[in-house]
């Protein structure tokens, strides 16, 4: 009866941990090391790392199962980090075979198949959980990425965090102040983290037009393309030139669904004889002269 209860408890813990369980946890359930070895020899357990087993063959483990196994293998206080943490958070994909784990101590212990980062600055505030897996926070993950990735890759990860609305700008700035990560992250965090609202982008666009003495367009106009679809609302319209400008702002253009919807409506307007151009906040703030030159050329045609 005790062995039957232990079997079900083992399965329950492993299921909660994406199919993996540590030797220490099995001992806590009453299984001896000899009993664990016997199950491994019989094929009901599969050794993933030293002291960590899976209830399914290693090749059938999900990415989260492999992440959990890596964290369990490195002992108390270990958390998923760097590129592996970014993948778990959904900030950027990784095809690295070696999983990255950070441990809050100096240790010479090695784990085949894992890349261990050792830190004496990791605090409780730097750690969170995702699906039960201990992992560095978004801010700490981005700071760690600055140590191992090119600047543009870090910037894209920050942009993805903004898109997902999971970035705490204050927490990221705190990471930089506590643990300076070089010019890359300092430059990126010196810029505003929060994206502008749609109204802010539109007002900036109008300011650029007025400074260049370009005729102001109609705003927020509903148009009926020559098809059977619904009417389309355009941000800025010059009717005589059949020109539409869309200013891509903070929220409504950031999801995959809105991205696809924007392209479909642009296609409908183009088929109806309109020219549609999209302008971003970065273009407005960093390259306004290019926008002015483009609009003057298009409006003169």
């Amino acid at each position: 009866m005790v062995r039957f209860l232990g079997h079900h408890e083992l399965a329950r813990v492993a299921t909660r941990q994406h199919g993996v369980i540590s030797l220490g946890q099995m001992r806590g359930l009453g299984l001896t090391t000899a009993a664990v070895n016997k199950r491994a020899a019989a094929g009901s357990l599969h050794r993933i790392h030293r002291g960590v087993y899976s209830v399914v063959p290693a090749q059938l483990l999900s990415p989260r199962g492999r992440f959990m196994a890596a964290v369990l293998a490195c002992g108390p206080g270990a958390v998923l980090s760097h590129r592996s943490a970014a993948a778990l958070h959904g900030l950027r994909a990784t095809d690295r075979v070696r999983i990255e784990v950070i441990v809050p101590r100096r240790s010479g212990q090695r784990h085949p198949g894992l890349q261990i980062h050792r830190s004496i600055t990791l605090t409780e505030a730097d750690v969170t959980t995702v699906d039960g897996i201990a992992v560095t926070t978004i801010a700490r993950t981005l700071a760690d990425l600055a140590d191992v990735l090119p600047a543009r890759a870090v910037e894209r990860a920050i942009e993805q965090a903004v898109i997902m609305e999971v970035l705490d700008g204050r927490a990221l700035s705190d990471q930089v102040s506590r643990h300076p990560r070089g010019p890359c992250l300092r430059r990126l965090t010196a810029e505003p983290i929060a994206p502008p609202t749609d109204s802010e982008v539109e007002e900036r666009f109008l300011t650029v037009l007025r400074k260049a003495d370009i005729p102001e367009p109609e705003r927020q106009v509903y148009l009926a393309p020559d098809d059977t679809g619904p009417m389309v609302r355009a941000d800025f319209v010059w009717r005589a030139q059949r020109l539409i400008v869309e200013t891509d702002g903070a929220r409504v253009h950031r999801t995959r669904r809105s991205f696809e919807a924007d392209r479909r409506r642009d296609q409908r307007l183009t088929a109806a004889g309109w020219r549609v151009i999209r302008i971003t906040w970065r273009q407005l703030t960093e390259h306004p002269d290019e926008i002015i030159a483009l609009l003057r050329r298009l409006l003169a045609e």
Side-chain angles (χ1 to χ4, degrees):
M1 181 66 180
V2 173
R3 185 173 60 184
F4 182 76
L5 177 61
H7 171 77
H8 281 276
E9 285 295 298
L10 186 155
R12 181 183 63 80
V13 174
T15 299
R16 188 176 67 241
Q17 297 182 160
H18 309 285
V20 299
I21 188 170
S22 71
L23 178 59
Q25 289 173 323
M26 287 187 284
R27 286 173 175 166
L29 295 175
L31 274 72
T32 64
T33 301
V36 172
N37 291 337
K38 184 176 180 180
R39 292 187 181 216
S44 61
L45 286 175
H46 307 268
R47 186 177 184 273
I48 307 301
H49 299 291
R50 182 172 56 229
V52 180
Y53 295 81
S54 168
V55 295
V56 298
Q59 63 270 24
L60 298 182
L61 268 182
S62 67
R64 276 170 166 71
R66 293 189 292 107
F67 288 157
M68 176 66 83
V71 171
L72 290 176
C74 295
V79 297
L80 201 69
S81 69
H82 294 72
R83 283 157 289 209
S84 300
L88 181 61
H89 283 302
L91 300 180
R92 69 187 304 271
T94 180
D95 57 1
R96 288 171 57 87
V97 175
R98 298 177 68 195
I99 295 173
E100 294 178 274
V101 176
I102 192 169
V103 294
R105 58 188 177 276
R106 297 190 183 279
S107 169
Q109 190 174 19
R110 296 181 179 275
H111 298 272
L114 304 181
Q115 182 173 350
I116 309 300
H117 300 271
R118 294 169 178 84
S119 172
I120 60 174
T121 63
L122 190 70
T123 68
E124 291 183 3
D126 298 326
V127 178
T128 186
T129 58
V130 174
D131 286 348
I133 303 169
V135 60
T136 49
T137 60
I138 295 284
R140 176 64 189 236
T141 298
L142 292 169
D144 287 336
L145 288 180
D147 286 341
V148 297
L149 292 178
R152 179 54 185 150
V154 179
E155 185 177 27
R156 293 175 78 127
I158 292 176
E159 290 172 351
Q160 181 63 22
V162 171
I163 290 172
M164 295 170 62
E165 300 182 0
V166 295
L167 181 60
D168 183 339
R170 182 175 299 176
L172 185 56
S173 297
D174 178 64
Q175 286 290 336
V176 176
S177 63
R178 287 195 294 123
H179 315 291
R181 302 288 169 144
C184 163
L185 200 60
R186 285 200 300 271
R187 176 180 62 81
L188 294 175
T189 54
E191 300 173 358
I193 294 298
T197 64
D198 295 297
S199 60
E200 288 174 330
V201 179
E202 291 172 3
E203 288 302 319
R204 175 62 67 92
F205 178 64
L206 288 174
T207 299
V208 169
L209 294 182
R210 290 162 184 161
K211 286 184 178 180
D213 200 26
I214 292 177
E216 288 195 21
E218 298 177 61
R219 300 176 61 181
Q220 304 300 331
V221 177
Y222 281 89
L223 302 172
D226 301 329
D227 57 21
T228 59
M231 296 185 71
V232 172
R233 192 181 74 169
D235 289 345
F236 300 96
V237 175
W238 286 267
R239 290 183 187 270
Q241 292 82 7
R242 303 285 286 181
L243 177 64
I244 296 172
V245 168
E246 293 292 320
T247 50
D248 287 351
R251 301 183 184 278
V252 299
H253 304 286
R254 297 194 305 176
T255 66
R256 181 177 296 276
R257 178 173 296 181
S258 62
F259 180 89
E260 296 291 339
D262 287 344
R263 271 64 198 168
R264 286 195 298 272
R265 62 194 293 281
D266 289 356
Q267 292 162 5
R268 293 178 59 211
L269 290 166
T270 300
W274 291 91
R275 292 176 296 176
V276 182
I277 62 172
R278 292 188 171 273
I279 295 175
T280 67
W281 175 259
R282 176 162 293 184
Q283 286 179 297
L284 285 171
T285 56
E286 297 182 5
H287 307 288
D289 291 343
E290 294 180 3
I291 294 174
I292 292 170
L294 174 63
L295 288 175
R296 281 178 173 161
R297 186 170 70 250
L298 293 174
L299 291 172
E301 294 176 358

